[in-house]
Amino acid sequence: MTNENNIKNALLSAQNISVTLGNRLILNDVSISVGAGDLKVLIGPSGAGKSTFLQCINQLIPTDSGSIYLEGERINMANNASLCHLRQNVGMIFQDFNLFDHLTAVENISLALRKVRNLSKEDANDRARKELNRVGLANRAGLYPAQLSGGQKQRVAIARALAMDPKVLLLDEPTSALDPELVGEVLAVINDLAAHGMPMIMATHQMDFVRSLATEVLFMESGSIIEQDKPHVLLASTSKSRTLDFCSKLNNLRQVAEHSPEITCTANSNT
Amino acid sequence: MDFFDITFLTQEVIPHLNDGILDSLALIIPAILIGGSFGILMGIVRVFAKKPLKIIADGFVAVIRGVPLTIQLMILYFGLPYIRIYLSPYTAALLAFIFCTGAYQSEYIRGALLSIKQGQIKAGQALGMTKSQIIWSIIVPQAIRRAIPGCGNEIIYLIKYSSLAYIVTHIELTGEAKIIASRTFRPTEVYLVAGCYYLFLITIATWLLSKLEQKLSIPGFSKANS
Amino acid sequence: MQTIITILENMPYILMGSFITLYLVIGALFIGFIIGLPLAIGQVYGSRITRLAISLYVWFFRGVPILLLLFLFYFGIFNLISINLDVATVSCIVLGLASSAYQSQIFRGSIQSIPYGQLKAGRALGMTDSQSIRSIILPQALRLSIPGWSNEYSILLKDSALCFALGAPDIMARTHFVASRTYEYLPLYITAAFLYFLITLAGVRLLRYLERRFAIAGYTLSA
């Protein structure tokens, strides 16, 4: 497939994105495209630029060069309306949830429905409750973020993104701020989304998840994409990929962590 | 004449002070409402507006906060006629109180706005909200809750500093007390009773403010990185 | 031009007022400290009755406007008990009493921010509570109080301008006197505003220097 076809057929495509901060090159000419049913995973050490890359895709961080295409249409990044259009169609899940602290779970979800989609209060609340139900939190609708566990917060955040009917979902290490015992409930929701064919780009180090569900793995280091292939290719035990090397180190760390609890937190924050 | 005898208080002091407290309230309430709105506006301008406007607002607040309220009152009442602007004592006092409370309130509003985490803004952006939607439905509601304790304190200060209207010859509670004290030659009693009036006002205001704070409180919110 | 000459001619006279202003502010800060610190200690460590009495004192002096307090003490109480003091001293005492109420709250906040473990550690070493308070709690708490204290300085400086209502010959009163004689109201008030601004700035700088001078590594209130 040529590059142009790639852009035209993809739901969402980011091409040749570069970002510099001061003198440092944070992202160096990186590209990604997602089509129907894709689940692309970004892997790499911290500081590799995964989070920056994800936030460039919906333009939360402005890019120095490169372009974003939504369903083949190039986004005019200087135009606010066009940026809002992009973001409405691209859902985002943050590492630290970013729920609105002054609103209840259901209000967190209905706010954008009312303001951006111009739904009536009743319609927005109905929709919000449906989404909460979908992530298994129907009985937590009236609670404030401070009254929810980390896993519940992240599920509300996912419901909030889904309520906007996004064409693509971006997930920035959605489980890495969670206590180990809460990771499962969030992954179950994401699993469910993948099973329903929601196109996603996700930064994660949950390797079992990556192995079984990712359609493509992109390994990033120092702002560049170094390797890019199907997970069974990159993670095959015979492969000499950087990805495999990195993941085996990750596994070692995790095994150590399981034996000595005091390392758990460092292992988590690094993954 | 006994110290604090009832007839003196009920006949000579309290009726006049009752008039005085109404005059004080006629200054305090508009000053809270207009000054408060002015403060919120200034706070928003100082955080979100473009450079030149921001610098003007910052400079205005710095000057108001750096100069004694007494001088501000003198400038408005005795000074402005120098450039042919004539204000009544009431207008001069009200204007000074609005500027003063607005400037101090804007400090709390500004601090509260700046304390809102970047992630809250990003989450709004990620949902496709416009800048003004994010400001009005995410940042401002959170900031107001953070700012209420500080702004409430300013309201208490305003009630006390309303007594400075006396300096520009506007007669309110303090002025009324001064008049009675000079006429009756019993200053200690008169000023003590007037003091009680202020304590009453302030206690009521404190109570109302804590009610408001309770009403707007959200679980875990005020504690969260405040 | 005439205006500038008038201002310059009267400058020495107005500037003499800054001595009175500084006397008011420094005196009030001092009185406020002498009374406010024991009040704070009493409010944290005292018995219930002590605490109640202190909070009544604080409630009164924080609730009644300074101008009214000035009138009350100058025309009322000091006359009643036949103490004859000059206007500036009365003003200084009244500002100091009001400031003591505010300062006690500053000190109370910083005393309460010192972890209880510090007092326990003192007890564990066999010190009495009053020894621990003096040599462990207060040295820490007073350092933490400097920012609040420098704030109190600029508040007092501005409040001191009120004393002209009694006739204390400070910057404000002298400016007003010159203005009412020369009719150069606006330029003179702006000059006075500028003077207050400068004195505030100088004092805040000095206190910030003190804060750095007595700083202990890693020791701030923001924690």
Side-chain angles (χ1 to χ4, degrees), chain A residues 87-259:
Chain A
R87 290 167 183 161
Q88 282 164 38
N89 285 289
V90 179
M92 175 124 204
I93 309 298
F94 298 89
Q95 184 175 346
D96 42 8
F97 332 123
N98 289 345
L99 289 185
F100 303 129
D101 293 326
H102 65 304
L103 300 177
T104 60
V106 71
E107 288 166 346
N108 255 283
I109 301 168
S110 62
L111 178 71
L113 290 172
R114 284 194 290 126
K115 299 288 170 183
V116 179
R117 290 285 208 72
N118 294 318
L119 293 189
S120 72
K121 204 167 178 181
E122 294 79 43
D123 291 348
N125 278 337
D126 281 351
R127 180 66 203 271
R129 279 173 203 285
K130 263 184 207 134
E131 293 300 337
L132 272 181
N133 201 20
R134 183 167 164 188
V135 297
L137 289 173
N139 56 346
R140 296 281 189 274
L143 296 187
Y144 287 94
Q147 297 168 311
L148 297 171
S149 74
Q152 291 170 339
K153 281 187 212 173
Q154 194 59 295
R155 282 147 70 195
V156 173
I158 293 172
R160 179 172 73 178
L162 292 177
M164 301 298 286
D165 297 314
K167 299 200 166 82
V168 179
L169 212 53
L170 309 175
L171 302 99
D172 185 3
E173 306 206 20
T175 58
S176 61
L178 299 176
D179 290 335
E181 73 271 21
L182 300 177
V183 169
E185 60 185 80
V186 172
L187 280 185
V189 172
I190 299 172
N191 263 324
D192 186 53
L193 289 176
H196 284 82
M198 167 66 76
M200 292 188 262
I201 305 176
M202 178 168 171
T204 187
H205 291 146
Q206 298 289 337
M207 292 319 296
D208 297 334
F209 177 87
V210 173
R211 245 181 264 270
S212 59
L213 288 174
T215 52
E216 190 176 43
V217 172
L218 296 87
F219 184 81
M220 289 186 74
E221 197 163 41
S222 334
S224 301
I225 295 173
I226 293 182
E227 291 169 349
Q228 174 170 13
D229 212 326
K230 300 243 173 337
H232 65 263
V233 179
L234 282 182
L235 297 172
S237 52
T238 51
S239 118
K240 292 203 162 54
S241 67
R242 284 281 292 118
T243 314
L244 185 69
D245 183 44
F246 176 76
C247 292
S248 59
K249 275 182 194 149
L250 216 60
N251 266 337
N252 287 340
L253 199 64
R254 198 159 278 145
Q255 273 157 18
V256 174
E258 273 158 21
H259 292 293

Side-chain angles (χ1 to χ4, degrees), chain B residues 65 74 82 104 160-161, chain C residues 62 102 158-159 176 184:
Chain B
R65 280 166 36 101
M74 301 297 264
Y82 192 81
Y104 281 90
K160 287 192 291 174
Y161 281 110
Chain C
R62 290 213 306 176
Y102 287 96
K158 284 179 274 174
D159 282 348
H176 191 56
E184 301 280 358

Side-chain angles (χ1 to χ4, degrees), chain B:
Chain B
M1 276 201 307
D2 291 335
F3 197 60
F4 273 114
D5 66 302
I6 297 295
T7 34
F8 173 66
L9 290 184
T10 52
Q11 290 186 357
E12 306 240 18
V13 181
I14 290 175
H16 296 287
L17 290 186
N18 285 348
D19 289 345
I21 203 173
L22 291 180
D23 290 325
S24 286
L25 286 172
L27 269 174
I28 293 166
I29 291 170
I32 289 173
L33 296 178
I34 306 172
S37 322
F38 179 59
I40 292 173
L41 190 74
M42 291 286 281
I44 291 174
V45 164
R46 292 176 66 200
V47 175
F48 296 112
K50 299 227 155 41
K51 256 278 166 59
L53 204 56
K54 207 183 215 166
I55 291 172
I56 293 172
D58 280 344
F60 176 79
V61 172
V63 168
I64 297 282
R65 280 166 36 101
V67 173
L69 181 55
T70 315
I71 294 194
Q72 294 170 34
L73 279 161
M74 301 297 264
I75 288 178
L76 286 176
Y77 185 65
F78 294 106
L80 285 187
Y82 192 81
I83 49 171
R84 307 242 178 318
I85 299 175
Y86 300 91
L87 301 178
S88 72
Y90 175 78
T91 318
L94 184 59
L95 218 53
F97 296 154
I98 287 171
F99 288 156
C100 185
T101 199
Y104 281 90
Q105 304 269 26
S106 83
E107 279 288 287
Y108 292 104
I109 302 282
R110 176 174 169 272
L113 288 172
L114 291 175
S115 79
I116 306 303
K117 282 174 287 179
Q118 200 59 34
Q120 300 282 312
I121 298 163
K122 279 204 170 167
Q125 285 178 331
L127 291 165
M129 296 170 78
T130 62
K131 191 173 176 184
S132 76
Q133 284 173 337
I134 291 173
I135 292 178
W136 289 108
S137 48
I138 298 172
I139 301 176
V140 169
Q142 297 193 13
I144 283 181
R145 290 186 168 82
R146 290 242 165 92
I148 278 182
C151 289
N153 259 338
E154 273 321 309
I155 290 178
I156 305 290
Y157 275 107
L158 177 64
I159 293 175
K160 287 192 291 174
Y161 281 110
S162 69
S163 60
L164 267 65
Y166 163 81
I167 289 177
V168 292
T169 72
H170 179 70
I171 302 303
E172 35 64 76
L173 194 46
T174 305
E176 205 70 65
K178 182 97 170 63
I179 293 170
I180 309 168
S182 336
R183 200 186 51 216
T184 61
F185 296 105
R186 295 170 75 165
T188 311
E189 290 143 287
V190 175
Y191 291 132
L192 272 177
V193 175
C196 290
Y197 274 68
Y198 280 104
L199 287 171
F200 169 76
L201 279 183
I202 279 163
T203 310
I204 297 272
T206 312
W207 180 75
L208 283 176
L209 285 164
S210 75
K211 277 271 167 242
L212 180 70
E213 211 171 319
Q214 268 168 31
K215 195 163 181 294
L216 291 177
S217 81
I218 283 176
F221 187 75
S222 55
K223 270 180 261 162
N225 77 139
S226 56

Side-chain angles (χ1 to χ4, degrees), chain C residues 148-184:
Chain C
W149 221 62
S150 82
N151 201 23
E152 184 63 19
Y153 160 78
S154 40
I155 291 173
L156 269 177
L157 181 62
K158 284 179 274 174
D159 282 348
S160 76
L162 262 179
C163 300
F164 105 100
L166 294 186
D170 65 341
I171 298 177
M172 183 70 235
R174 285 166 189 253
T175 308
H176 191 56
F177 177 69
V178 175
S180 53
R181 226 182 23 176
T182 61
Y183 296 102
E184 301 280 358

Side-chain angles (χ1 to χ4, degrees), chain C residues 122-134:
Chain C
R123 281 183 194 154
L125 292 168
M127 296 165 88
T128 65
D129 276 5
S130 76
Q131 281 174 330
S132 305
I133 290 170
R134 251 182 300 143

Side-chain angles (χ1 to χ4, degrees), chain C residues 14-98:
Chain C
I14 293 174
L15 276 177
M16 286 296 284
S18 54
F19 288 110
I20 302 290
T21 295
L22 283 177
Y23 167 63
L24 291 173
V25 175
I26 293 169
L29 269 177
F30 179 73
I31 295 171
F33 179 81
I34 294 295
I35 302 176
L37 188 59
L39 286 183
I41 295 171
Q43 218 171 8
V44 177
Y45 300 107
S47 68
R48 250 185 79 174
I49 294 171
T50 321
R51 292 205 306 264
L52 188 75
I54 293 171
S55 27
L56 262 174
Y57 175 93
V58 170
W59 178 69
F60 180 79
F61 279 103
R62 290 213 306 176
V64 178
I66 303 244
L67 188 61
L68 203 63
L69 287 176
L70 286 169
F71 289 161
L72 174 66
F73 278 85
Y74 186 66
F75 299 114
I77 292 174
F78 281 1
N79 254 332
L80 208 66
I81 53 179
S82 336
I83 295 180
N84 266 322
L85 293 171
D86 63 294
V87 189
T89 307
V90 172
S91 306
C92 183
I93 292 171
V94 172
L95 284 176
L97 288 174

